[in-house]
Amino acid sequence: MAFESFNEFIAMGGHAPYVWAAWGVTGALLVAIVLHARAERRQLLRNLQRRVRREERLGANQSEMAGVSHHMGGNRHDT
């Protein structure tokens, strides 16, 4: 082992503030990346669900409109 005791390990030969700050920042950034990725995934799924609902609604409206125009005299050859 490189250190004689646990206290020497924590002290890191006098460089503890730099070493542990680097570890802390790295850990915080990794956690932030994971949280950000999860938030983006949730937002993407919500947007996709909203898009599917909108397209289904627009598709239903267009089929209703096509049916109405066809029944209301869409064929002008009767005259």
Side-chain angles (χ1 to χ4, degrees):
M1 182 173 197
F3 299 100
E4 297 295 323
S5 69
F6 184 70
N7 287 337
E8 285 184 25
F9 172 71
I10 298 298
M12 289 285 167
H15 301 288
Y18 308 108
V19 171
W20 297 117
W23 274 100
V25 168
T26 301
L29 288 173
L30 288 172
V31 168
I33 288 170
V34 168
L35 294 175
H36 180 58
R38 290 179 67 180
E40 279 191 337
R41 181 178 183 272
R42 280 193 306 268
Q43 183 179 9
L44 176 66
L45 290 175
R46 274 195 310 265
N47 288 343
L48 288 173
Q49 288 173 345
R50 191 177 307 135
R51 182 176 178 177
V52 166
R53 285 192 307 264
R54 182 176 55 240
E55 288 178 359
E56 286 175 350
R57 188 176 62 242
L58 289 175
N61 287 343
Q62 287 177 355
S63 65
E64 287 175 7
M65 293 299 286
V68 168
S69 67
H70 180 68
H71 292 296
M72 292 189 63
N75 188 355
R76 297 282 181 193
H77 299 288
D78 294 345
T79 56

